[in-house]
Structures are given as structure tokens and as C-alpha cells.
Amino acid sequence: MSGAVRFLYEKVLRRTSTFAFAVVVSAVFFERAVDMGCDAIFDNINKGRRTSPRSGGGATPYRTPPTSKRPPTDRDKGVEARLESGQ
């Protein structure tokens, strides 16, 4: 056996308690790595959109404000403004 395999067997795999602890610790690190990888892929695919709760837009897509300098219309104000004006 090589040195690394012998060390792994003698220190971790020989006792059930250390083996179970190693399984739990590796599962936590593996889950975190997969989560970070999936988030990176999702953010890369949805670049320029605010769909993540981390981005401040909530879980629903965020409509970006208009880029022109025109005054806001009722459509821009939303449903509440239209209900208040009686339309």
C-alpha cells in the first residue's frame, strides 16, 4: 500500500466512528461545492437578469427601468396608480 492509502485506512477507515464522521464532513463539503457550482452556472446563463434572491430583485424577474428620459406613463407606474386614478 502506498503511504496515503495506508494513512487513510489507519486513521479514518479503521474505526466506524471516524469513518461516519468523515462521511458526514465530506457530504457537507460536497453539497456546498455542488450548490456553488449550480449557482455559478445559473448566474452565467441568466446574466443581465435579476432573478436571484441575492441580487435584491426577489425570486421574480425584475423589470429594468426605461433607458430613455421620457416622463413615466401610467404603464410605468403600475397597477396601484391606475386603480387610484379610477381607470
Side-chain angles (χ1 to χ4, degrees):
M1 278 192 226
S2 69
V5 174
R6 180 178 222 84
F7 174 82
L8 183 67
Y9 175 74
E10 290 177 0
K11 302 296 183 191
V12 178
L13 301 177
R14 200 164 183 184
R15 294 180 58 182
T16 305
S17 60
T18 57
F19 178 72
F21 181 72
V23 168
V24 170
V25 169
S26 14
V28 168
F29 282 110
F30 180 75
E31 185 271 335
R32 186 68 183 138
V34 169
D35 188 43
M36 289 175 66
C38 290
D39 282 345
I41 291 169
F42 180 83
D43 290 341
N44 190 27
I45 290 171
N46 294 308
K47 199 178 295 182
R49 299 180 191 158
R50 297 177 85 183
T51 57
S52 174
R54 297 183 315 265
S55 66
T60 58
Y62 176 75
R63 182 174 173 207
T64 56
T67 56
S68 65
K69 298 293 182 182
R70 64 179 173 76
T73 62
D74 285 340
R75 183 176 184 179
D76 295 329
K77 292 178 185 174
V79 175
E80 294 85 13
R82 282 181 261 157
L83 288 175
E84 289 175 4
S85 66
Q87 293 179 357

